[in-house]
Amino acid sequence: MRRASGQGPTGPQVPQGPRIIGSVRRSHVASTFGPGAVVDFRAPASGAPLSGLVTGLEEWDRAAPNGRTGLLHFQRTYEPRLQRLLRVGGFRLPPVKEAADESWTDVLPVVRFPHWLMCPICERLAPAYEFSFDPNMPERRCASCSRDASTTYAVPVRFIVACENGHLDEFPWTRWIDCKCASPRLVLKTTGAGLAGKLVQCMNTDCSGSPRSLEGAFGKRALSTRGMWCAGKRPWLPTAPERGCTMAPQVVQRGASSVYYSAIESSLDIPPFSPNLSQVIGPYAEDVMKCSPEEWPAFIRINRLEEKSGTSKEELLRTFEEWRQWHEGKEADAPLEWAEYRQLNLSAQEPVDKGEFQTRPEPVPQELEPYIDSVVLARRLREVRALVGFNRIKPSSGPFRSDNNSRLGCISVQPPKWLPAVELRGEGIFIRFSENALEAWEGEKVRARAGWLASRRTNPHAEPADEALRTGPRFLLLHSFAHALMRQLSLTCGYSSAALRERLYVGNDPYDMCGVLIHTGSADSEGTLGGLVRQGKQAFLENTIREMLVSMAWCSSDPLCITCAVTLSSPDNLSACHACLLVPETSCQHFNLLLDRAMLVGTPEDPTVGYFNPLLAKSS
């Protein structure tokens, strides 16, 4: 990580020459700690606490080695289907620096945020520049509380301001107490428990303001009712604040999960793009599609693709033709999941071994045949996950749409030509549900329960068709099944709960889908243990699902959980809480929302609501 020395009037000003202040895992940079996210560090020498914002993509290019900006960077990757959806030329992997390599300059820039700090001893509250510091050092110290034997470092304040349009700002400390002093002398005193015990006060004797506690500061209208509206600030970008934001700003804690909900789009590497040579010729994909087939031999010769890929001209021409057929076919404009779903269905008939995509069919256990049509074991998968933006306060209400993403916070000033992404390689289990069984199950009672959840949802920005699909019985069933299976697999095959990830295939005509892929979602060694595929074999899968259903039949929060008497997780869920269905948010595509355990096992009043209730009755 590299720190930015300060913030100018229009945004972060990054100094020449990096100063390393901490590290973040690469996979986290393309998710929870992307551009615009707040990251906590410790100063390398003193251990003083620091807080900063990951800056936008333009600053990534400024920090890159000379001549290696954009897609000229060493660390890049490609996935043609995802590139087409996101309208970019490729993807950049977050920079990696070896600890012992002092010459490497490609690091991730951050800018200090929040700028207001507090002394933990004297409780002084002031901007960072008012505290003492050593030249070129990021930490700040309180001079009056520091002695020769010890140094007291100022800590970042806990409270910041955000809005649903992605803006971020400092907490208005002086306006909160109506202080109009030219040189405020603020303190944040602790006089008791909770926010009521946090008292903001100006120590100037002639201050016109009045001491005030932080009680009520987290209310949705706590700032707007006092005339404080969103200023449209984006301190992670080198631009002036956006004008005209009408969202009411809300006070949040600096480390709260609601400060940054990453918007991620991902795709699996499937034929015809899965062969290894796709990584070599990936940079030329757009140019190849612009050429006619008659021009391809010359294109191969001019760009020396045979030499670079180690592949014959004939093989390259066959690959180009497969790419052209996909590009001109109807599937190119279909949802990304549709092509994957079709490929996984084909894998249920015969094994596939094409580069990064290796699958084989597995017989469905006899007891599961009424519920499941096919099982596919994916021995090798490659997933590319790209960060397209983020939300604050509330997560995104639907899938990414290039023509309707106004609520996404920007990760760059200009429309990006590349996006940060990570590659995940691992294994997985694909389960396709029985279409006939689903249609028989989706009766009036099941639809009424799903309609109950739909009536509780308040999503003014959601597309009606997407919202109807995501609150339908089929989506709730498959999503809840994926969570329950991940929790059970983490107990039986040795993966941590955060190492598994769901991928849902749910759709309506003309893209009818009803499947679930549980795969390894980690970029480290956990992606190649082999234990996940083993649990998908016929001899193990039936017991795994039976044990899963038994565990779902009773939750430690019942009867409150199963009856929905109290919302234990979110109004966007029915029977779901941390004790039964919720998983780490990095494992879920939908932020642990749209879940209902009753869709699996039924309710005490009506067990038939549960899709697997007959199987559960046999297991009891």
Side-chain angles (χ1 to χ4, degrees), residues 523-599:
D524 56 24
S525 60
E526 283 194 288
T528 58
L529 290 176
L532 183 57
V533 163
R534 183 173 183 270
Q535 291 300 315
K537 292 184 177 180
Q538 185 180 25
F540 299 99
L541 185 60
E542 180 182 344
N543 287 337
T544 299
I545 291 181
R546 282 183 180 274
E547 292 171 1
M548 174 199 81
L549 294 174
V550 171
S551 66
M552 289 295 107
W554 180 255
C555 169
S556 60
S557 298
D558 282 343
L560 297 178
C561 179
I562 194 64
T563 61
C564 304
V566 177
T567 300
L568 298 175
S569 55
S570 166
D572 291 339
N573 290 329
L574 290 178
S575 297
C577 69
H578 289 277
C580 56
L581 270 188
L582 271 59
V583 298
E585 288 195 358
T586 53
S587 299
C588 177
Q589 289 181 291
H590 303 281
F591 300 100
N592 272 322
L593 304 178
L594 302 167
L595 296 164
D596 183 15
R597 179 164 53 97
M599 294 290 178

Side-chain angles (χ1 to χ4, degrees), residues 75 120 206 242 256 283 285 355 406 442-443 471 483 546:
Q75 299 171 346
D206 58 346
E242 285 189 313
S406 58
E442 291 174 311
T471 56
H483 277 230
R546 282 183 180 274

Side-chain angles (χ1 to χ4, degrees), residues 119-122 140-143 145-147 150-154:
C119 173
I121 303 299
C122 67
R140 298 293 185 263
R141 63 179 184 271
C142 181
C145 296
S146 298
R147 300 291 184 268
S150 63
T151 302
T152 301
Y153 293 101

Side-chain angles (χ1 to χ4, degrees), residues 427-494:
E427 54 183 338
I429 305 171
F430 173 73
I431 298 174
R432 182 164 67 94
F433 280 54
S434 169
E435 184 73 35
N436 293 334
L438 285 172
E439 291 179 357
W441 167 73
E442 291 174 311
E444 182 178 349
K445 293 180 180 179
V446 174
R447 291 196 299 270
R449 184 173 178 87
W452 181 26
L453 174 62
S455 66
R456 293 166 50 170
R457 295 259 290 174
T458 54
N459 260 329
H461 304 284
E463 293 288 333
D466 291 335
E467 186 69 5
L469 176 66
R470 287 152 58 90
T471 56
R474 191 169 300 196
F475 186 95
L476 295 177
L477 169 65
L478 268 66
H479 193 198
S480 302
F481 175 83
H483 277 230
L485 186 57
M486 283 191 290
R487 289 173 67 101
Q488 187 63 35
L489 287 170
S490 67
L491 299 176
T492 56
C493 66

Side-chain angles (χ1 to χ4, degrees), residues 29-244:
V29 175
S31 57
T32 53
F33 294 141
V38 179
V39 188
D40 288 327
F41 301 102
R42 288 281 180 177
S46 63
L50 304 172
S51 178
L53 283 173
V54 179
T55 57
L57 302 186
E58 286 82 5
E59 300 301 332
W60 289 33
D61 276 344
R62 288 183 61 187
N66 291 335
R68 293 295 177 178
T69 61
L71 292 175
L72 297 176
H73 198 273
F74 298 108
Q75 299 171 346
R76 60 184 183 269
T77 189
Y78 299 90
E79 210 296 304
R81 297 192 308 125
L82 195 57
Q83 290 169 216
R84 180 185 174 94
L85 172 70
L86 303 180
R87 300 179 182 179
V88 294
F91 306 102
R92 277 252 307 264
L93 304 176
V96 170
K97 177 188 180 298
E98 297 294 336
D101 187 358
E102 296 297 333
S103 63
W104 187 251
T105 60
D106 186 17
V107 290
L108 192 66
V110 297
V111 60
R112 185 191 300 277
F113 185 85
H115 275 265
W116 281 79
L117 310 178
M118 188 190 78
C119 173
I121 303 299
C122 67
E123 300 179 318
R124 176 191 177 195
L125 189 65
Y129 61 81
E130 293 189 10
F131 287 91
S132 301
F133 65 95
D134 294 324
N136 295 323
M137 300 301 288
E139 55 265 46
R140 298 293 185 263
R141 63 179 184 271
C142 181
S144 60
C145 296
S146 298
R147 300 291 184 268
D148 293 337
S150 63
T151 302
T152 301
Y153 293 101
V155 300
V157 294
R158 293 165 49 194
F159 309 113
I160 58 177
V161 174
C163 88
E164 291 186 29
N165 281 337
H167 300 129
L168 208 60
D169 203 353
E170 305 277 349
F171 184 89
W173 298 103
T174 54
R175 293 189 64 185
W176 184 254
I177 61 172
D178 297 322
C179 173
K180 297 180 176 61
C181 298
S183 300
R185 295 171 52 215
L186 301 187
V187 292
L188 180 58
K189 294 183 177 181
T190 300
T191 60
L195 292 176
K198 295 293 184 182
L199 188 69
V200 185
Q201 181 179 357
C202 180
M203 303 305 292
N204 290 332
T205 56
D206 58 346
C207 180
S208 60
S210 302
R212 185 183 179 192
S213 76
L214 292 177
E215 186 175 17
F218 284 87
K220 290 185 178 181
R221 301 290 175 180
L223 299 182
S224 58
T225 53
R226 296 173 59 86
M228 291 178 272
W229 295 93
C230 180
K233 292 185 178 180
R234 300 184 294 179
W236 65 96
L237 297 177
T239 58
E242 285 189 313
R243 296 184 181 274

Side-chain angles (χ1 to χ4, degrees), residues 24-33 94 264 385 422 424 521-523:
V24 174
R25 289 184 63 179
R26 168 178 273 182
S27 58
H28 290 172
V29 175
S31 57
T32 53
F33 294 141
I264 296 173
R385 301 182 63 195
V422 291
L424 304 177
S522 174

